Amino acid sequence: MAKTYENLEIWKKGISLATEVYKITNEFPKEEIYGLTSQLRRAVVSISTNIAEGSGRGSAKDFTRFVNFSIGSLNEVESLLFISKDLSFISEGDFLKLEGSIKELGNLLGGFKKFLSKK
C-alpha cells in the first residue's frame, strides 16, 4: 500500500477533476447554488477525500472500501453532469471534456481496486 495518498495518481486526478468542476459550476445559475452546484461540488470533492481517508486505514480491505466510495461518488458526478448538460448549464464541449476525465479516473480507480484486492 502507498505510504501517502499525495503520490497516488488516482488522488491527483480526483483533485484535478474537482478543480474543473468547481470552475464550471461557477457559471451555473445562482438559483442552483443549493441544488446542482452544491451537490456536484460535494460529490466531486468526496472522490479525492475518500482516497485520502482510505490510505490512512490500516489494511488493504479498508482502503478498498474507501476506493469503492470514490467510485460511487464518481458515478454521482457523472450523473449530475448529464443533468447539467441537459439543462444547458454546461456546454457539450465541457461535458465531453469532463466525461473523458471521469472515464480515465474510473479506469484508474478500478485498476487500483484490483491491485488492493491482491494484497
Coordinates of all heavy atoms in Angstrom, one line a residue, residues 8 19 45 79 97 104 112:
L8 N -0.4 9.2 -5.1 CA -1.3 8.3 -5.9 C -1.9 9.1 -7.1 O -2.4 10.2 -6.9 CB -2.4 7.8 -5.0 CG -2.0 6.8 -3.9 CD1 -3.2 6.5 -3.0 CD2 -1.4 5.5 -4.5
T19 N -11.2 20.5 -9.3 CA -10.9 21.8 -9.7 C -11.7 22.2 -11.0 O -12.3 23.3 -11.0 CB -9.4 22.0 -10.0 OG1 -8.7 21.6 -8.8 CG2 -9.0 23.4 -10.4
V45 N -15.7 16.4 -4.6 CA -14.7 16.5 -3.5 C -14.5 15.2 -2.8 O -13.5 14.8 -2.4 CB -15.1 17.7 -2.6 CG1 -14.3 17.6 -1.3 CG2 -14.8 19.0 -3.2
S79 N -23.5 11.4 -13.4 CA -25.0 11.6 -13.5 C -25.4 13.0 -13.4 O -26.2 13.5 -14.2 CB -25.7 10.7 -12.4 OG -27.0 10.8 -12.5
K97 N -15.3 16.9 -22.3 CA -14.0 17.0 -21.6 C -14.1 16.4 -20.2 O -13.2 15.6 -19.9 CB -13.6 18.5 -21.5 CG -12.2 18.7 -20.8 CD -11.9 20.1 -20.7 CE -10.6 20.3 -19.9 NZ -10.4 21.7 -19.5
E104 N -11.4 8.2 -17.5 CA -10.0 7.9 -17.2 C -9.8 7.6 -15.7 O -9.2 6.6 -15.3 CB -9.1 9.1 -17.6 CG -7.6 8.9 -17.2 CD -6.8 10.1 -17.5 OE1 -7.3 11.2 -17.8 OE2 -5.5 9.9 -17.5
F112 N -6.8 0.2 -9.5 CA -6.3 0.3 -8.1 C -7.0 -0.6 -7.2 O -6.4 -1.2 -6.3 CB -6.3 1.8 -7.6 CG -5.5 2.0 -6.4 CD1 -4.2 1.9 -6.4 CD2 -6.2 2.3 -5.2 CE1 -3.4 2.1 -5.2 CE2 -5.4 2.5 -4.0 CZ -4.1 2.4 -4.0

